[in-house]
Amino acid sequence: MKNALKKIDSRNELISVPKVGIALLLFAFALSCKNYSETEEASMEMTENAKEADIVSSSAAIENKNSERKFVRTADAKFKVKNVAQSTYAIENATTKFGGFVTYTNLQSSVSEKFDTKISQDSILETTRYKVENNITIRVPNTQLDTVIKTIAQQIDFLDYRVIKADDVSLQMLSNQLAQNRSKNYENRLEKAIDEKGRKLKEINPSEENLNNQKEINDNRKLENLALNDKVNFSTISLYIYQPETTKQEMVVNNADISAFRPHIGIQIVDGLKTGWYILEGIIGFIVQLWSLILLGFIGYIVYKKYLKKQISKAI
């Protein structure tokens, strides 16, 4: 009997082990499916962000290190964002992060419509429809232009347009450099001629004036090349961002309708009784102040009635 029970227990153990293994396999499979789903969603989100970045990115923004050409790169874009203020801060932070700087920003609200709705005798609902916009101009290192543009693209809710330009100024810079060299050579020869031959004042003055003009031309060429180098090294990005029209409603006091602030009829009656009583008190007080005159008048009346009236009647 004991042997039979042992055989049954061993069979139950053999049966329970596969059940536990199957449950663990199902749990592991469900967990892997969940992780795969989360990974796939994250991958899709990254793909969408990459697509948005590619919309405003361009090969014109990529610097070819092996090329000897010099490009002045500029970018112009107009797009809608969810919140202009927050996007402005994000763009400014990205500009600073990648070694650039902001040269112009004009954040403002333009009111498109404003009207009042009378809610009660003393209250008005003021409704304002307005649009927030910002014009931003930033300059970033030309090697970081594509990175900055892709970072800015994360703020785009709807793209109106984007224009990226790369103007080759290599020949212009070379022309300025050659002209600067020629001017410098002429300047040196002119200085040497003045030192050797210009002994008289009437000969020195025109030569000196010509020398100053030549130095000015040389300086202008140098400044032009410096300005071009600055434009080559730092690209300019001009942005116009805006958000959907916003409606703001605010309850304000109706100052025009003062009748709403008149007191209730009961309060007016009580105030009238108080006012009448105050007037009566004033009259009584005024009469009391004249008591001496009243007393003299009363005494005169008694004297008149007792003495003067009798004498008058006897005389008649």
Side-chain angles (χ1 to χ4, degrees):
M1 185 68 179
K2 292 181 180 181
N3 294 331
L5 290 174
K6 288 181 180 180
K7 289 180 180 180
I8 293 172
D9 292 338
S10 62
R11 288 179 182 177
N12 290 335
E13 290 177 359
L14 291 173
I15 293 171
S16 60
V17 170
K19 288 183 178 180
V20 174
I22 292 171
L24 291 174
L25 288 174
L26 291 175
F27 177 75
F29 179 74
L31 185 62
S32 62
C33 288
K34 182 180 179 181
N35 293 335
Y36 175 77
S37 177
E38 292 177 353
T39 305
E40 187 176 4
E41 289 178 0
S43 177
M44 291 176 64
E45 185 177 354
M46 292 177 62
T47 303
E48 290 178 359
N49 292 335
K51 288 181 179 179
E52 290 179 356
D54 290 339
I55 291 175
V56 295
S57 181
S58 172
S59 59
I62 299 175
E63 176 74 14
N64 188 356
K65 296 181 180 180
N66 297 325
S67 176
E68 295 182 357
R69 294 181 179 274
K70 301 293 183 180
F71 289 99
V72 174
R73 293 175 172 83
T74 57
D76 296 275
K78 176 182 178 182
F79 53 88
K80 181 174 70 174
V81 297
K82 294 180 179 179
N83 187 291
V84 170
Q86 294 179 1
S87 296
T88 299
Y89 301 146
I91 291 170
E92 291 174 349
N93 292 335
T95 302
T96 306
K97 177 181 177 181
F98 293 107
F101 52 91
V102 180
T103 60
Y104 179 77
T105 177
N106 182 20
L107 178 63
Q108 62 179 347
S109 299
S110 56
V111 178
S112 57
E113 186 179 7
K114 184 177 181 180
F115 58 91
D116 298 333
T117 305
K118 188 174 181 180
I119 302 300
S120 62
Q121 292 296 327
D122 60 347
S123 301
I124 290 178
L125 181 64
E126 188 178 81
T127 303
T128 305
R129 292 196 179 100
Y130 63 96
K131 181 180 178 182
V132 183
E133 56 190 1
N134 192 5
N135 285 294
I136 310 173
T137 303
I138 60 176
R139 300 195 66 195
V140 296
N142 62 342
T143 55
Q144 299 292 336
L145 177 60
D146 187 57
T147 304
V148 173
I149 289 176
K150 288 182 177 179
T151 304
I152 292 174
Q154 297 175 5
Q155 303 297 322
I156 295 177
D157 188 45
F158 175 80
L159 178 67
D160 291 82
Y161 64 81
R162 76 104 173 96
V163 178
I164 297 178
K165 295 172 62 179
D167 297 326
D168 189 355
V169 293
S170 304
L171 294 178
Q172 185 178 353
M173 295 180 70
L174 178 60
S175 175
N176 289 340
Q177 186 62 47
L178 294 175
Q180 185 180 351
N181 293 337
R182 290 194 302 271
S183 178
K184 186 64 178 177
N185 292 333
Y186 180 71
E187 179 184 330
N188 293 333
R189 291 198 304 271
L190 192 59
E191 287 180 347
K192 185 177 181 181
I194 291 174
D195 293 337
E196 292 178 355
K197 299 180 180 180
R199 301 300 181 185
K200 297 181 180 180
L201 184 62
K202 62 180 181 179
E203 296 177 355
I204 293 175
N205 286 339
S207 300
E208 288 287 349
E209 184 178 356
N210 192 10
L211 178 61
N212 289 333
N213 292 335
Q214 198 62 36
K215 286 183 176 181
E216 183 178 358
I217 293 173
N218 190 20
D219 291 340
N220 290 335
R221 296 289 185 182
K222 186 176 181 179
L223 290 174
E224 286 180 11
N225 262 4
L226 289 175
L228 286 175
N229 270 322
D230 180 66
K231 291 180 180 180
V232 169
N233 294 329
F234 280 85
S235 302
T236 302
I237 303 176
S238 301
L239 304 172
Y240 174 76
I241 61 176
Y242 64 95
Q243 69 185 45
E245 188 179 61
T246 306
T247 301
K248 179 183 178 182
Q249 292 183 326
E250 183 180 6
M251 194 75 70
V252 296
V253 178
N254 183 10
N255 294 320
D257 190 4
I258 60 173
S259 62
F261 299 95
R262 293 180 59 188
H264 191 268
I265 183 64
I267 298 176
Q268 294 185 41
I269 293 173
V270 173
D271 289 341
L273 293 174
K274 289 181 180 179
T275 303
W277 175 253
Y278 295 151
I279 294 173
L280 181 60
E281 285 181 346
I283 294 172
I284 295 172
F286 178 75
I287 293 173
V288 171
Q289 291 176 2
L290 300 176
W291 66 271
S292 58
L293 295 177
I294 295 172
L295 180 60
L296 290 174
F298 181 72
I299 294 172
Y301 174 74
I302 293 175
V303 172
Y304 170 77
K305 189 175 181 181
K306 286 185 177 182
Y307 300 102
L308 294 179
K309 190 175 181 181
K310 291 180 180 180
Q311 292 179 4
I312 292 172
S313 61
K314 288 179 179 181
I316 294 174

